[in-house]
Amino acid sequence: MRKIVHRHLGKVVAGAAIAVAGTAVMVGITLPGTAGADTTGGADGSGQSAQQAAQGQGGAAAVQPGVVEEAPAEGDRGKGNDPLTDDEIARVEKLAVNRQLFDGSENVRGARGPQRIDTQLAEPEADEVDDPNAPRRADVTFYDYRDDTLVTRTINLDTGKVEHTATQRGVQPPLSRSEEAEAAKLLIADPLGAGLKADYKDATGKELTSPDQLQLNSMVYTANPGGSASVAKCGEHRCTRLFPKIKNGAWVDLRDFVIDLSARKVIRLG
């Protein structure tokens, strides 16, 4: 790893050196009849488990293997302040995009239609806070790369109607997974991504050709007043820094690079 750090622009670093890091937790599950089992011999050294010995002496019947039950089916509709169900999310995301919005907007790839960012249960109206029968609403947020606007549509889940539409400029929520993947794709295809690809080759012995080969985290990047002219539009444009991790491997340090998704270009700071 020390050689990689000095040789390439995209430096492989330990996970603790990056501010954005994930933690995997392994959870052990003990099924009935296996607690304390030893594959090489029982507790008495005779090759029998304690349970087998008990059966041989007229003990209780063997404990049946554990059964993992599937989670109960999610209902089509939630109630009150319940989180949106999968069915509700799918429904409101379709209702939020009418023909006018679809034809007049662009997603992160430059195709027609806005880029979906998030879907959440909407806050109740001020006069509905204590009303147990208040309608459930959902806020569906999109980013329109055609003109760099954030569009939020509020849909009444009871009527299926779009009740409010809010459009904002200069507002940059966290990136969606699709946007992270597109940012990585742009970097991999750009000459400035050579260091990242070299680090990946050194770590895995394979060529890096797709964002699917990386675990991606990101942070929205906004330009500081008086900063570099190359990133001056970041904040108005949708820009990001990536914090990629080689699957089953190390993090790669790309803090010197900004991807401007609106302009579809990679910028090296400094």
Side-chain angles (χ1 to χ4, degrees), residues 57-100:
Q57 299 171 7
V63 177
Q64 295 301 313
V67 177
V68 178
E69 296 183 358
E70 295 184 1
E74 190 175 65
D76 292 341
R77 298 180 61 178
K79 296 180 180 179
N81 293 323
D82 290 346
L84 295 172
T85 67
D86 289 344
D87 287 344
E88 286 177 322
I89 291 173
R91 179 170 172 250
V92 297
E93 288 177 355
K94 290 181 180 178
L95 291 170
V97 183
N98 57 14
R99 176 56 61 181
Q100 181 181 0

Side-chain angles (χ1 to χ4, degrees), residues 57-220:
Q57 299 171 7
V63 177
Q64 295 301 313
V67 177
V68 178
E69 296 183 358
E70 295 184 1
E74 190 175 65
D76 292 341
R77 298 180 61 178
K79 296 180 180 179
N81 293 323
D82 290 346
L84 295 172
T85 67
D86 289 344
D87 287 344
E88 286 177 322
I89 291 173
R91 179 170 172 250
V92 297
E93 288 177 355
K94 290 181 180 178
L95 291 170
V97 183
N98 57 14
R99 176 56 61 181
Q100 181 181 0
L101 177 59
F102 182 81
D103 289 339
S105 60
E106 290 183 3
N107 64 22
V108 68
R109 299 184 306 279
R112 279 197 309 167
Q115 180 64 49
R116 188 182 68 79
I117 302 298
D118 193 24
T119 303
Q120 296 288 341
L121 184 70
E123 294 291 334
E125 302 288 344
D127 59 351
E128 297 174 347
V129 173
D130 297 322
D131 183 358
N133 298 315
R136 281 165 61 83
R137 298 180 180 89
D139 287 333
V140 186
T141 305
F142 302 96
Y143 196 85
D144 183 359
Y145 279 88
R146 179 181 58 83
D147 57 3
D148 283 298
T149 56
L150 187 71
V151 180
T152 302
R153 290 198 153 180
T154 303
I155 295 91
N156 186 311
L157 288 161
D158 294 334
T159 65
K161 293 182 178 180
V162 177
E163 294 186 342
H164 306 289
T165 299
T167 302
Q168 300 169 283
R169 295 180 183 275
V171 178
Q172 299 292 345
L175 271 67
S176 65
R177 291 298 183 191
S178 296
E179 290 173 303
E180 289 179 339
E182 188 65 19
K185 182 178 178 181
L186 290 172
L187 180 59
I188 292 169
D190 194 276
L192 290 175
L196 170 63
K197 290 188 286 187
D199 286 341
Y200 187 89
K201 181 69 175 291
D202 282 348
T204 67
K206 300 178 181 179
E207 300 293 336
L208 176 61
T209 59
S210 168
D212 295 337
Q213 296 168 262
L214 300 168
Q215 293 177 4
L216 298 172
N217 286 280
S218 65
M219 183 178 295
V220 169

Side-chain angles (χ1 to χ4, degrees), residues 30-71:
T30 302
L31 296 179
T34 62
D38 185 337
T39 56
T40 60
D44 61 357
S46 63
Q48 288 186 316
S49 68
Q51 180 180 319
Q52 290 172 326
Q55 289 177 349
Q57 299 171 7
V63 177
Q64 295 301 313
V67 177
V68 178
E69 296 183 358
E70 295 184 1

Side-chain angles (χ1 to χ4, degrees), residues 9-13 18 184 187 192-193 195-197 199 214 216-217 240-245 251-259 267 269:
L9 294 177
K11 300 176 287 296
V12 175
V13 296
I18 298 298
L187 180 59
L192 290 175
L196 170 63
K197 290 188 286 187
D199 286 341
L214 300 168
L216 298 172
N217 286 280
T240 185
R241 276 175 167 162
L242 286 179
F243 300 92
K245 183 179 185 295
W251 295 87
V252 180
D253 185 358
L254 296 178
R255 287 171 292 179
D256 292 340
F257 299 92
V258 172
I259 299 96
I267 304 162
L269 298 174

